[in-house]
Amino acid sequence: MVNSGQSDPSEQRSPGTHRAGEGAAGGSTAPRGGRPARPQAVLEVVGKTRVTPNLIRILLGGDGIAHLNDNTSTDAYVKLLLPEPSSGLTPPYDLDRLREETPELLPKVRTYTVRSWDRSTGRIALDVVLHGEGEVDGVAAQWADGAIPGDLVAMRGAGGSYTPDPAASFHLLIGDHSALPAIASSLEAMEPAARGLALIQLDHAEDRLHLSAPDGVEIRYLLEPREALVAQVEELDLVGTSGLQVFAHGERGIIKQIRRLLVTERKIPQEQISISAYWALGRIEDQFQAEKREPIGRIDD
């Protein structure tokens, strides 16, 4: 997920320096409003690959991975805690102290899909999209572009709740570049006999990936504006949807239209659909997350 922007049902809070008594591998925030403390996992950069001109894969490992929730969903995501490089902060962070004393130094929270999780080696891979849109590109793209082996990064998670159902008669996966890691992981997890269609919108042809998928699942790249996803869904023959499973994630405005097509017009039961916005055009994640609690942030009107 650039959530890469990834879907997040939980409330986002800003993070922050080391608290005395926290373990070196992971910190936690004190309970607020009766909520349990959420641990910080501190992982080390062990590798970096430029997968396409606009996609960087960061490989992370270390003992800190034990502080992550071992989520096996194919849309599993983590929230990176990324301070400004000039802040001098090192993970784990004392969030409460930063909030009280220097809130301007609070690390930014950015959500990303776990592209792969190798439990035998204790390593995870994150794919970070470089949008190339100035401030919208933001702190996560800068971190990924400059990351070198040995760097430490704090994160929380993993969340996520979608996995292809082996009993589904047809899988429909819909998304833009931000959803590509989750779609790729989902395709790899499907049964060999699975049938389906993946609609993936990209802005640049060079960002297409050769994805592993069952023979019965068509992968259709759309090298057109994001609105092409809506048009493609409109044209689909979805008669007899009792065995259909849908995964649809991406830009908020597009996902809102797709949800209307699938749920309101086609009457597909919501329990058969995993759908949410990973990001919103013209918004950094802080604004995007805050708007989830406002009418503009809803996709189900």
Side-chain angles (χ1 to χ4, degrees):
M1 167 209 323
V2 171
N3 303 48
S4 37
Q6 257 349 194
S7 130
D8 177 22
S10 66
E11 175 181 292
Q12 172 179 323
R13 294 178 181 268
S14 296
T17 35
H18 189 84
R19 173 189 293 127
E22 291 181 341
S28 63
T29 58
R32 304 180 68 194
R35 295 187 179 189
R38 293 177 294 175
Q40 295 175 37
V42 179
L43 274 63
E44 178 181 347
V45 175
V46 296
K48 181 171 76 171
T49 305
R50 177 80 66 158
V51 180
T52 72
N54 297 299
L55 190 70
I56 291 179
R57 182 166 296 159
I58 304 292
L59 187 62
L60 302 164
D63 294 340
I65 199 169
H67 292 268
L68 289 177
N69 174 43
D70 189 358
N71 191 316
T72 58
S73 301
T74 56
D75 69 339
Y77 63 87
V78 294
K79 288 184 170 294
L80 305 182
L81 314 184
L82 301 171
E84 291 293 339
S86 61
S87 69
L89 298 176
T90 56
Y93 308 110
D94 185 334
L95 309 186
D96 291 335
R97 181 177 176 183
L98 284 177
R99 288 189 187 98
E100 294 172 3
E101 298 180 3
T102 52
E104 70 278 6
L105 295 182
L106 284 168
K108 303 295 185 181
V109 179
R110 296 295 180 262
T111 310
Y112 280 89
T113 300
V114 177
R115 175 60 184 86
S116 63
W117 192 322
D118 188 335
R119 289 161 180 81
S120 65
T121 61
R123 294 182 175 185
I124 65 173
L126 306 180
D127 285 358
V128 181
V129 176
L130 307 181
H131 296 289
E133 299 174 1
E135 289 301 314
V136 177
D137 206 25
V139 64
Q142 295 174 29
W143 166 75
D145 206 24
I148 59 174
D151 285 354
L152 299 179
V153 61
M155 64 188 67
R156 297 194 300 255
S161 59
Y162 168 82
T163 298
D165 183 355
S169 60
F170 196 87
H171 300 272
L172 177 59
L173 301 100
I174 307 164
D176 57 24
H177 209 166
S178 68
L180 184 52
I183 290 175
S185 296
S186 299
L187 292 171
E188 292 170 355
M190 289 181 185
E191 297 292 323
R195 297 176 58 252
L197 170 65
L199 298 173
I200 305 168
Q201 183 273 335
L202 296 176
D203 293 329
H204 307 286
E206 59 266 29
D207 288 326
R208 285 181 293 191
L209 299 177
H210 179 70
L211 302 177
S212 297
D215 291 340
V217 178
E218 176 189 353
I219 299 172
R220 189 182 303 171
Y221 280 110
L222 310 177
L223 302 176
E224 306 173 61
R226 281 180 289 275
E227 289 74 14
L229 285 171
V230 180
Q232 288 279 319
V233 174
E234 284 182 309
E235 295 175 3
L236 293 177
D237 180 4
L238 298 177
V239 176
T241 61
S242 61
L244 175 68
Q245 187 183 27
V246 180
F247 178 85
H249 297 261
E251 196 278 325
R252 185 171 65 199
I254 299 301
I255 292 300
K256 187 172 184 177
Q257 296 178 64
I258 290 174
R259 187 190 184 281
R260 186 179 301 120
L261 287 170
L262 296 176
V263 176
T264 305
E265 298 184 13
R266 304 293 181 90
K267 306 299 183 183
I268 299 173
Q270 295 189 44
E271 59 268 22
Q272 294 176 222
I273 304 176
S274 171
I275 185 166
S276 73
Y278 276 176
W279 63 288
L281 188 64
R283 303 290 199 272
I284 60 174
E285 184 163 347
D286 306 327
Q287 296 170 302
F288 169 70
Q289 294 287 354
E291 288 176 350
K292 284 185 175 182
R293 296 180 285 277
E294 301 175 5
I296 191 177
R298 296 180 63 87
I299 65 168
D300 59 352
D301 61 6

